Amino acid sequence: AQTVTQSQPEMSVQEAETVTLSCTYDTSESDYYLFWYKQPPSRQMILVIRQEAYKQQNATENRFSVNFQKAAKSFSLKISDSQLGDAAMYFCGGEISYGQNFVFGPGTRLSVLP
Amino acid sequence: DAGVTQSPTHLIKTRGQHVTLRCSPISGHKSVSWYQQVLGQGPQFIFQYYEKEERGRGNFPDRFSARQFPNYSSELNVNALLLGDSALYLCASSPWEDRSYTFGSGTRLTVV
């Protein structure tokens, strides 16, 4: 079965500092999509960033960027200039399994300290 | 533009009952998928529909079923409810060609 692993159940970062959340995955597909979603206490899933596996360039969205290492099956999220509003659960996931749609990891709870 | 809307937002059911959850996708989105999120875990994929046809199914029992209507809205049905079915049920829509999934706020189901 295709899986997504997030090895850090909890992380914390000082406001304005940078933090990196780790994600690894297992897939036999050659083309797929990877995502990071943020889930605040409201439980609304909010798309943070998306990466297409065939693209070599790492995706960037404002303060959020990824380090995508296809051969290593690694997809980490870097948050720069952390803000209090970044505190949430972060889920890594992707369309890595044909016919199974989305596979999510177990999540990383990020706390931002003032 | 309206986002993905789910109804109801909360409901409480008794073991053995049946429940129907509803989802309206963003206008123009033809794909809808359903997820179950148990407290403290990541969402688990249940179904995906595109153009009214099932395109993916997760590892859930046959008590779970879904369908998509001509207007691309969708229903998730769960029969013979168990206590373990208590969870947040999320719906997401996408244009299919562009893998941009937008999630609704979810329906919180409690089975007592």
Side-chain angles (χ1 to χ4, degrees), chain B residues 54-68:
Chain B
E54 182 182 300
R55 294 302 185 101
R57 173 185 286 257
N59 188 24
F60 280 80
D62 292 342
R63 299 185 295 108
F64 289 76
S65 63
R67 55 180 176 169
Q68 186 177 33

PDB file of all heavy atoms in Angstrom, chain B residues 54-68:
ATOM      1  N   GLU B  54     -17.841   6.513 -10.412  1.00  0.00           N
ATOM      2  CA  GLU B  54     -16.874   6.269  -9.356  1.00  0.00           C
ATOM      3  C   GLU B  54     -15.496   6.083  -9.982  1.00  0.00           C
ATOM      4  O   GLU B  54     -15.295   5.236 -10.854  1.00  0.00           O
ATOM      5  CB  GLU B  54     -17.263   5.030  -8.554  1.00  0.00           C
ATOM      6  CG  GLU B  54     -16.326   4.732  -7.394  1.00  0.00           C
ATOM      7  CD  GLU B  54     -16.719   3.461  -6.664  1.00  0.00           C
ATOM      8  OE1 GLU B  54     -17.837   3.391  -6.141  1.00  0.00           O
ATOM      9  OE2 GLU B  54     -15.886   2.530  -6.637  1.00  0.00           O
ATOM     10  N   ARG B  55     -14.532   6.871  -9.505  1.00  0.00           N
ATOM     11  CA  ARG B  55     -13.181   6.807 -10.052  1.00  0.00           C
ATOM     12  C   ARG B  55     -12.171   6.289  -9.030  1.00  0.00           C
ATOM     13  O   ARG B  55     -11.017   6.031  -9.382  1.00  0.00           O
ATOM     14  CB  ARG B  55     -12.723   8.178 -10.529  1.00  0.00           C
ATOM     15  CG  ARG B  55     -13.510   8.694 -11.705  1.00  0.00           C
ATOM     16  CD  ARG B  55     -13.464   7.763 -12.904  1.00  0.00           C
ATOM     17  NE  ARG B  55     -14.123   8.294 -14.061  1.00  0.00           N
ATOM     18  CZ  ARG B  55     -13.490   8.854 -15.088  1.00  0.00           C
ATOM     19  NH1 ARG B  55     -12.168   8.950 -15.077  1.00  0.00           N
ATOM     20  NH2 ARG B  55     -14.170   9.318 -16.114  1.00  0.00           N
ATOM     21  N   GLY B  56     -12.587   6.151  -7.814  1.00  0.00           N
ATOM     22  CA  GLY B  56     -11.687   5.636  -6.796  1.00  0.00           C
ATOM     23  C   GLY B  56     -12.456   5.247  -5.561  1.00  0.00           C
ATOM     24  O   GLY B  56     -13.488   5.824  -5.254  1.00  0.00           O
ATOM     25  N   ARG B  57     -11.946   4.237  -4.865  1.00  0.00           N
ATOM     26  CA  ARG B  57     -12.606   3.759  -3.652  1.00  0.00           C
ATOM     27  C   ARG B  57     -11.526   3.382  -2.647  1.00  0.00           C
ATOM     28  O   ARG B  57     -10.581   2.679  -2.984  1.00  0.00           O
ATOM     29  CB  ARG B  57     -13.474   2.547  -3.976  1.00  0.00           C
ATOM     30  CG  ARG B  57     -14.077   1.846  -2.770  1.00  0.00           C
ATOM     31  CD  ARG B  57     -14.818   0.592  -3.209  1.00  0.00           C
ATOM     32  NE  ARG B  57     -16.067   0.931  -3.865  1.00  0.00           N
ATOM     33  CZ  ARG B  57     -17.269   0.834  -3.302  1.00  0.00           C
ATOM     34  NH1 ARG B  57     -17.377   0.420  -2.053  1.00  0.00           N
ATOM     35  NH2 ARG B  57     -18.355   1.140  -3.960  1.00  0.00           N
ATOM     36  N   GLY B  58     -11.709   3.856  -1.436  1.00  0.00           N
ATOM     37  CA  GLY B  58     -10.776   3.515  -0.371  1.00  0.00           C
ATOM     38  C   GLY B  58     -11.155   2.220   0.315  1.00  0.00           C
ATOM     39  O   GLY B  58     -12.100   1.537  -0.083  1.00  0.00           O
ATOM     40  N   ASN B  59     -10.442   1.906   1.375  1.00  0.00           N
ATOM     41  CA  ASN B  59     -10.634   0.648   2.081  1.00  0.00           C
ATOM     42  C   ASN B  59     -11.701   0.801   3.163  1.00  0.00           C
ATOM     43  O   ASN B  59     -11.411   0.829   4.358  1.00  0.00           O
ATOM     44  CB  ASN B  59      -9.309   0.191   2.688  1.00  0.00           C
ATOM     45  CG  ASN B  59      -9.405  -1.192   3.274  1.00  0.00           C
ATOM     46  OD1 ASN B  59     -10.260  -1.982   2.872  1.00  0.00           O
ATOM     47  ND2 ASN B  59      -8.540  -1.492   4.225  1.00  0.00           N
ATOM     48  N   PHE B  60     -12.934   0.923   2.733  1.00  0.00           N
ATOM     49  CA  PHE B  60     -14.074   1.064   3.633  1.00  0.00           C
ATOM     50  C   PHE B  60     -15.098  -0.035   3.320  1.00  0.00           C
ATOM     51  O   PHE B  60     -15.189  -0.478   2.181  1.00  0.00           O
ATOM     52  CB  PHE B  60     -14.725   2.447   3.467  1.00  0.00           C
ATOM     53  CG  PHE B  60     -13.987   3.531   4.213  1.00  0.00           C
ATOM     54  CD1 PHE B  60     -12.848   4.110   3.691  1.00  0.00           C
ATOM     55  CD2 PHE B  60     -14.432   3.956   5.464  1.00  0.00           C
ATOM     56  CE1 PHE B  60     -12.162   5.078   4.386  1.00  0.00           C
ATOM     57  CE2 PHE B  60     -13.749   4.938   6.156  1.00  0.00           C
ATOM     58  CZ  PHE B  60     -12.614   5.496   5.615  1.00  0.00           C
ATOM     59  N   PRO B  61     -15.864  -0.457   4.341  1.00  0.00           N
ATOM     60  CA  PRO B  61     -16.845  -1.535   4.116  1.00  0.00           C
ATOM     61  C   PRO B  61     -17.975  -1.098   3.200  1.00  0.00           C
ATOM     62  O   PRO B  61     -18.169   0.093   2.935  1.00  0.00           O
ATOM     63  CB  PRO B  61     -17.349  -1.850   5.529  1.00  0.00           C
ATOM     64  CG  PRO B  61     -17.064  -0.630   6.329  1.00  0.00           C
ATOM     65  CD  PRO B  61     -15.828  -0.020   5.753  1.00  0.00           C
ATOM     66  N   ASP B  62     -18.729  -2.093   2.750  1.00  0.00           N
ATOM     67  CA  ASP B  62     -19.834  -1.835   1.817  1.00  0.00           C
ATOM     68  C   ASP B  62     -20.964  -1.034   2.447  1.00  0.00           C
ATOM     69  O   ASP B  62     -21.882  -0.604   1.736  1.00  0.00           O
ATOM     70  CB  ASP B  62     -20.387  -3.166   1.292  1.00  0.00           C
ATOM     71  CG  ASP B  62     -19.396  -3.872   0.395  1.00  0.00           C
ATOM     72  OD1 ASP B  62     -18.459  -3.200  -0.087  1.00  0.00           O
ATOM     73  OD2 ASP B  62     -19.541  -5.083   0.172  1.00  0.00           O
ATOM     74  N   ARG B  63     -20.902  -0.839   3.750  1.00  0.00           N
ATOM     75  CA  ARG B  63     -21.910   0.015   4.396  1.00  0.00           C
ATOM     76  C   ARG B  63     -21.798   1.469   3.903  1.00  0.00           C
ATOM     77  O   ARG B  63     -22.739   2.246   4.047  1.00  0.00           O
ATOM     78  CB  ARG B  63     -21.721   0.011   5.915  1.00  0.00           C
ATOM     79  CG  ARG B  63     -21.862  -1.337   6.576  1.00  0.00           C
ATOM     80  CD  ARG B  63     -21.778  -1.213   8.095  1.00  0.00           C
ATOM     81  NE  ARG B  63     -20.462  -0.758   8.556  1.00  0.00           N
ATOM     82  CZ  ARG B  63     -20.236   0.464   9.059  1.00  0.00           C
ATOM     83  NH1 ARG B  63     -21.216   1.343   9.159  1.00  0.00           N
ATOM     84  NH2 ARG B  63     -19.024   0.783   9.475  1.00  0.00           N
ATOM     85  N   PHE B  64     -20.645   1.792   3.347  1.00  0.00           N
ATOM     86  CA  PHE B  64     -20.419   3.133   2.814  1.00  0.00           C
ATOM     87  C   PHE B  64     -20.702   3.117   1.310  1.00  0.00           C
ATOM     88  O   PHE B  64     -20.198   2.253   0.587  1.00  0.00           O
ATOM     89  CB  PHE B  64     -18.975   3.566   3.048  1.00  0.00           C
ATOM     90  CG  PHE B  64     -18.640   3.874   4.477  1.00  0.00           C
ATOM     91  CD1 PHE B  64     -18.442   2.856   5.398  1.00  0.00           C
ATOM     92  CD2 PHE B  64     -18.532   5.189   4.911  1.00  0.00           C
ATOM     93  CE1 PHE B  64     -18.143   3.135   6.725  1.00  0.00           C
ATOM     94  CE2 PHE B  64     -18.223   5.479   6.231  1.00  0.00           C
ATOM     95  CZ  PHE B  64     -18.037   4.464   7.137  1.00  0.00           C
ATOM     96  N   SER B  65     -21.500   4.078   0.868  1.00  0.00           N
ATOM     97  CA  SER B  65     -21.762   4.210  -0.567  1.00  0.00           C
ATOM     98  C   SER B  65     -21.912   5.690  -0.884  1.00  0.00           C
ATOM     99  O   SER B  65     -22.123   6.514   0.009  1.00  0.00           O
ATOM    100  CB  SER B  65     -23.030   3.447  -0.969  1.00  0.00           C
ATOM    101  OG  SER B  65     -24.165   3.995  -0.323  1.00  0.00           O
ATOM    102  N   ALA B  66     -21.804   6.008  -2.143  1.00  0.00           N
ATOM    103  CA  ALA B  66     -21.915   7.408  -2.556  1.00  0.00           C
ATOM    104  C   ALA B  66     -22.448   7.472  -3.965  1.00  0.00           C
ATOM    105  O   ALA B  66     -22.496   6.471  -4.690  1.00  0.00           O
ATOM    106  CB  ALA B  66     -20.559   8.108  -2.456  1.00  0.00           C
ATOM    107  N   ARG B  67     -22.849   8.649  -4.344  1.00  0.00           N
ATOM    108  CA  ARG B  67     -23.242   8.881  -5.721  1.00  0.00           C
ATOM    109  C   ARG B  67     -23.063  10.353  -6.033  1.00  0.00           C
ATOM    110  O   ARG B  67     -23.009  11.195  -5.137  1.00  0.00           O
ATOM    111  CB  ARG B  67     -24.690   8.463  -5.966  1.00  0.00           C
ATOM    112  CG  ARG B  67     -25.721   9.095  -5.060  1.00  0.00           C
ATOM    113  CD  ARG B  67     -27.112   8.604  -5.408  1.00  0.00           C
ATOM    114  NE  ARG B  67     -28.121   9.117  -4.491  1.00  0.00           N
ATOM    115  CZ  ARG B  67     -29.430   9.012  -4.710  1.00  0.00           C
ATOM    116  NH1 ARG B  67     -29.876   8.414  -5.797  1.00  0.00           N
ATOM    117  NH2 ARG B  67     -30.286   9.489  -3.824  1.00  0.00           N
ATOM    118  N   GLN B  68     -22.979  10.647  -7.350  1.00  0.00           N
ATOM    119  CA  GLN B  68     -22.859  12.024  -7.809  1.00  0.00           C
ATOM    120  C   GLN B  68     -24.005  12.304  -8.764  1.00  0.00           C
ATOM    121  O   GLN B  68     -24.336  11.470  -9.622  1.00  0.00           O
ATOM    122  CB  GLN B  68     -21.514  12.253  -8.512  1.00  0.00           C
ATOM    123  CG  GLN B  68     -21.269  13.705  -8.879  1.00  0.00           C
ATOM    124  CD  GLN B  68     -19.908  13.945  -9.503  1.00  0.00           C
ATOM    125  OE1 GLN B  68     -19.376  13.089 -10.215  1.00  0.00           O
ATOM    126  NE2 GLN B  68     -19.337  15.115  -9.244  1.00  0.00           N
TER     127      GLN B  68
END
